[in-house]
């Protein structure tokens, strides 16, 4: 028994307590570093997700402001946002609305109105936060997918959230503020009879001078174009996508219920022969980082 103890104490292959402590300490440090890296990545992912959701609300607020600005010439409103992982940009001439009317006196004609409009985009790289390719949702959830709504409280813009890759400008999760249309109807009755009135509203977003001095978007009312047509029995409104081929902002990006809407005696709302139709296009100049 004495010899076996002496042999153990003299075994040069055995690790000393100091070396064992160093090994254990190094393993502990490595484990801590791995845990810290995981925690940091998880925290960054959560912060990016929160930022994305916050700017989703920012886009909805901006859409409400557009509804005020578009119909008041010279009015200005600045909305601030906060972003670490993404950026706001303006994409010009992304949608093109065209308007055709049929009257009892002139037949079909296409109206000359500024129907080309841009969109406001919030882009977040997918390496910061990913929704998953081909993800698509409207905000708020369940929002109507038609580009034209007929309620007096209907918005004149939609907010869409999606990840569509690849696209030519990069791989992003996107929040897009998209100008859409509203129609209001009324009937005026006089001694000579009743006349139906249809009033269509479209905001036209145009690019301003982007200074990028701050995280803000400034909206300025730039004027209203109006076109009135009498004795109308049909209206056709079509939306197309000028940047579909070059940048990928195509029909699948916006995912409207239809790209053509017709109003006539069989539609809802019903457009009776002899109606008066008015189109209003409100110019809104969009400037990023002006103040």
């Amino acid at each position: 028994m004495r010899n076996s103890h002496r042999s153990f104490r003299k075994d040069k292959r055995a690790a000393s307590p100091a070396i064992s402590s160093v090994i254990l300490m190094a393993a502990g440090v490595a484990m801590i570093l791995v845990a810290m890296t995981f925690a940091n990545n998880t925290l960054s992912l959560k912060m990016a997700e929160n930022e994305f959701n916050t700017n989703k609300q920012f886009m909805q607020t901006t859409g409400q402001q557009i509804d005020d600005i578009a119909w008041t010439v010279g009015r200005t409103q600045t909305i601030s946002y906060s972003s670490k992982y993404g950026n706001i940009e303006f994409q010009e001439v992304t949608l093109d609305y065209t308007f055709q009317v049929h009257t009892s006196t002139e037949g079909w004609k296409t109206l000359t109105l500024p129907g080309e409009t841009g969109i406001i985009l919030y882009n977040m790289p997918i390496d910061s936060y990913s929704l998953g390719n081909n993800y698509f949702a409207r905000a708020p959830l369940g929002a109507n997918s038609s580009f034209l709504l007929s309620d007096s409280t209907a918005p004149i813009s939609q907010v869409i959230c999606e990840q569509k890759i690849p696209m030519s400008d990069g791989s992003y999760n996107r929040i897009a503020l998209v100008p859409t249309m509203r129609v209001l109807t009324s009937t005026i009755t006089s001694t000579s009879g009743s006349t139906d009135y249809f009033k269509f509203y479209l905001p036209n977003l145009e690019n301003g001078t982007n200074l990028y001095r701050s995280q803000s978007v400034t909206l300025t009312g730039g004027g209203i174009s109006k076109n009135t047509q009498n004795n109308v029995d049909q209206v056709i409104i079509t939306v197309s996508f000028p940047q579909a081929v070059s940048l990928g902002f195509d029909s699948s990006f916006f995912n409207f219920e239809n790209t053509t809407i017709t109003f006539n005696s069989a539609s809802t709302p019903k457009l009776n022969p002899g109606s008066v139709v008015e189109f209003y296009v409100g110019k809104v100049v969009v400037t990023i980082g002006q103040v």
Side-chain angles (χ1 to χ4, degrees):
M1 178 67 69
R2 183 179 303 169
N3 292 337
S4 64
H5 282 295
R6 186 181 301 113
S7 175
F8 176 77
R9 287 195 300 269
K10 294 181 179 180
D11 191 347
K12 295 182 179 180
R13 293 175 298 175
S16 70
I19 295 176
S20 298
S21 298
V22 171
I23 294 174
L24 291 174
M25 185 177 297
V29 169
M31 293 174 64
I32 292 173
L33 290 175
V34 170
M36 289 179 61
T37 301
F38 176 78
N40 185 61
N41 291 340
T42 302
L43 178 61
S44 295
L45 179 64
K46 190 64 178 178
M47 291 176 62
E49 181 182 4
N50 289 339
E51 178 182 312
F52 189 85
N53 291 329
T54 298
N55 281 293
K56 189 188 304 181
Q57 183 60 52
F58 163 78
M59 286 294 201
Q60 293 179 70
T61 301
T62 303
Q64 295 170 357
Q65 294 299 322
I66 287 175
D67 203 356
D68 293 332
I69 300 296
W71 321 118
T72 308
V73 179
R75 183 172 180 177
T76 298
Q77 181 69 47
T78 298
I79 312 102
S80 298
Y81 66 94
S82 178
S83 177
K84 176 183 178 182
Y85 298 93
N87 65 286
I88 296 285
E89 67 176 45
F90 185 81
Q91 187 63 53
E92 296 185 85
V93 193
T94 316
L95 302 168
D96 186 9
Y97 292 91
T98 56
F99 314 95
Q100 294 177 288
V101 298
H102 185 276
T103 69
S104 58
T105 55
E106 301 178 77
W108 283 106
K109 58 181 176 180
T110 300
L111 305 184
T112 303
L113 282 166
E116 292 185 336
T117 179
I119 61 175
I120 301 174
L121 286 169
Y122 169 80
N123 295 328
M124 177 182 285
I126 62 172
D127 57 1
S128 296
Y129 171 63
S130 178
L131 296 167
N133 196 21
N134 297 320
Y135 175 90
F136 181 93
R138 284 184 166 81
L141 290 174
N144 199 302
S145 60
S146 175
F147 70 78
L148 193 153
L149 299 178
S150 59
D151 192 280
S152 60
T153 60
I156 55 170
S157 63
Q158 293 183 13
V159 174
I160 59 176
C161 309
E162 70 179 287
Q163 180 179 311
K164 178 185 176 184
I165 54 176
M167 291 181 69
S168 62
D169 63 339
S171 299
Y172 297 106
N173 301 298
R174 304 175 192 267
I175 307 172
L177 178 56
V178 183
T180 53
M181 296 187 65
R182 175 172 60 219
V183 58
L184 302 179
T185 62
S186 61
T187 301
I188 297 179
T189 302
S190 63
T191 55
S192 58
S194 298
T195 303
D196 294 332
Y197 284 79
F198 281 66
K199 296 183 179 181
F200 294 90
Y201 297 87
L202 170 69
N204 174 24
L205 304 189
E206 295 188 8
N207 202 12
T209 303
N210 300 316
L211 303 177
Y212 298 101
R213 294 186 298 199
S214 65
Q215 293 187 330
S216 65
V217 174
T218 299
L219 309 171
T220 304
I224 301 173
S225 300
K226 178 183 177 181
N227 190 300
T228 301
Q229 299 292 319
N230 299 309
N231 299 313
V232 177
D233 52 46
Q234 284 195 77
V235 173
I236 297 178
I237 301 175
T238 302
V239 59
S240 58
F241 312 98
Q243 305 283 9
V245 176
S246 59
L247 295 177
F249 294 102
D250 56 12
S251 177
S252 66
F253 180 89
F254 298 98
N255 203 20
F256 291 131
E257 181 180 359
N258 296 293
T259 56
T260 298
I261 294 179
T262 301
F263 290 86
N264 52 34
S265 59
S267 65
T268 303
K270 183 178 181 180
L271 191 151
N272 292 311
S275 295
V276 177
V277 176
E278 299 174 351
F279 294 89
Y280 297 87
V281 179
K283 177 180 176 181
V284 178
V285 179
V286 180
T287 305
I288 301 173
Q290 184 179 20
V291 296

